Amino acid sequence: MTNISKEFVYSLPKAELHLHLEGTLEPELKLRLAQKNNIELKEKTVEEVEATYQFNDLTSFLAVYYPGMDVLVEKEDFYDLAMAYFKEVQKHNVKYVEVFFDPQAHTTRGVAFETFFEGYYQATQDAKELGIEAHLIMCFLRDLSEESAFEHYEMAKPFYDRILGIGLDSDERNNPPLKFERVFKQAKSDGFHITMHCDIDQVGSIQNISDALHVIGVERIDHGTNIVEDQALVDYVIANNIGLTSCPVSNSFVTEDMKGKEVKELLDQGVKVTINSDDPAYFKSYVSDDLIAVANYMELSEADVVKLVKNAFEIAWTSKANINQYLKQVDEYVASYQAK
Ligand code: HPA
Ligand code: ZN
């Protein structure tokens, strides 16, 4: 166990960089939206919804996750979903978030791009009133085709100035980064920030990380802690200030452990590794809980936790002035806590 208090971690100013908006759908909201939209669900109570959370790897998680989105229909449903997340993480003193959304998970159900986009975007604007700077990262589903990714990239055109970056998620098995080389190169040349999931312990994890870094030229890797297996890649991300967004509690659900050892090793080597919640409604863990989980598991020091938190601000896709302001808030909080 760590000797760091829960209060210290909850109150530290924080950033979250690996968060799927669709993964913040809490059972209560799911039930409410199902009723509002006249969608017949087999589950009638929170307990019954939670009883469907049976997963032990990424594929079995995604098989629960995608059908759960059926209750999201109208613009205000997407707004309410995102707003509920922002309100929740305000309690964790989160100051800055970059959130993923999955257009193809909605268009393939007949929901228009502007419906979910306008709802999500309005919530990011209203998050400012909660003291949170929020940005959107549009992800492609890697188990769909390159053609579909390009189609959605085109569909998003009217909204480009409200999208910060482009990501890649869903099932990595047989869907490596190079399948999307062209669309990511296009996005990069159009000025978007780019990142990709390199999920834990996949077939070809190291090759996929190498291709994402060297061929695609990603600026971050989501998960990606298998990189510890290849020192040349570790040296490369350190030299190029490329961050990794690790999600310990998510890892503990879809792999055999939270990969805390890898996180600590990367942290000690100077990699910009960060701690995030991924899909907090499904894994019952918001960002502070993830930090506490990994701190307990690895007996992290207060300095380690502060470094993990600062790493997230340091690799955030916002202005240098904003980053410095957030880092100052962290320093001031730590100093005031220590003076207590
Ligand atoms: N990996 C891939 N796809 C996902 C994830 C993840 O961690 N969470 C939601 N979609
Ligand atoms: Zn993820």
Side-chain angles (χ1 to χ4, degrees), residues 18-20 22-23 58 61-62 65-66 69 100 102 141-142 168-172 197-199 222-223 247 250-251 254 278-279 283:
H18 185 154
L19 180 284
H20 301 264
E22 292 85 359
L58 181 59
F61 165 69
L62 295 171
Y65 174 72
Y66 290 119
M69 297 177 199
F100 299 130
D102 285 338
L141 299 186
R142 67 198 310 161
L168 185 68
D169 61 10
S170 204
D171 203 340
E172 186 165 332
H197 277 59
C198 289
D199 270 283
D222 301 308
H223 299 297
C247 309
S250 164
N251 292 345
V254 301
D278 208 5
D279 302 288
F283 305 132

Side-chain angles (χ1 to χ4, degrees), residues 51-279:
T52 67
Y53 294 0
Q54 304 287 342
F55 23 77
N56 55 11
D57 58 14
L58 181 59
T59 309
S60 55
F61 165 69
L62 295 171
V64 175
Y65 174 72
Y66 290 119
M69 297 177 199
D70 286 351
V71 299
L72 298 163
V73 179
E74 297 181 306
K75 176 180 156 182
E76 53 266 37
D77 304 343
F78 294 94
Y79 176 86
D80 288 352
L81 176 68
M83 216 52 210
Y85 163 72
F86 296 136
K87 285 187 180 151
E88 182 60 33
V89 293
Q90 189 193 32
K91 298 182 209 154
H92 295 245
N93 206 17
V94 166
K95 298 291 180 198
Y96 180 89
V97 290
E98 292 169 14
V99 294
F100 299 130
F101 68 104
D102 285 338
Q104 290 147 300
H106 310 303
T107 57
T108 52
R109 301 183 287 116
V111 181
F113 197 103
E114 65 190 56
T115 302
F116 54 81
F117 190 84
E118 297 287 0
Y120 283 156
Y121 183 74
Q122 189 58 49
T124 64
Q125 296 310 290
D126 293 351
K128 288 178 198 159
E129 287 159 31
L130 303 172
I132 298 172
E133 178 182 352
H135 299 282
L136 294 170
I137 299 176
M138 176 171 85
C139 286
F140 299 126
L141 299 186
R142 67 198 310 161
D143 41 359
L144 300 187
S145 65
E146 180 199 29
E147 189 190 357
S148 173
F150 265 116
E151 257 171 43
H152 284 78
Y153 188 67
E154 280 302 306
M155 223 182 270
K157 223 170 212 159
F159 311 100
Y160 278 1
D161 58 345
R162 293 184 265 164
I163 296 173
L164 181 65
I166 305 292
L168 185 68
D169 61 10
S170 204
D171 203 340
E172 186 165 332
R173 213 174 18 157
N174 300 323
N175 299 300
L178 293 186
K179 178 175 168 187
F180 298 95
E181 179 179 351
R182 292 189 298 181
V183 69
F184 272 81
K185 287 196 165 155
Q186 179 69 50
K188 196 169 176 163
S189 78
D190 290 338
F192 287 108
H193 291 289
I194 59 171
T195 184
M196 284 182 166
H197 277 59
C198 289
D199 270 283
I200 307 294
D201 298 342
Q202 298 288 306
V203 174
S205 266
I206 285 296
Q207 188 60 48
N208 288 354
I209 291 170
S210 173
D211 289 340
L213 291 170
H214 295 307
V215 183
I216 314 281
V218 292
E219 300 163 73
R220 287 212 293 254
I221 294 183
D222 301 308
H223 299 297
T225 47
N226 285 85
I227 200 170
V228 290
E229 296 158 28
D230 187 319
Q231 190 58 42
L233 291 175
V234 173
D235 293 341
Y236 181 84
V237 294
I238 294 170
N240 291 280
N241 205 37
I242 291 168
L244 301 188
T245 62
S246 182
C247 309
V249 176
S250 164
N251 292 345
S252 72
F253 275 89
V254 301
T255 76
E256 79 286 358
D257 84 337
M258 64 172 85
K259 306 295 172 190
K261 194 164 152 283
E262 289 80 350
V263 166
K264 173 72 169 135
E265 188 174 329
L266 292 165
L267 185 70
D268 288 346
Q269 287 204 50
V271 174
K272 293 278 162 64
V273 61
T274 69
I275 299 299
N276 309 269
S277 68
D278 208 5
D279 302 288

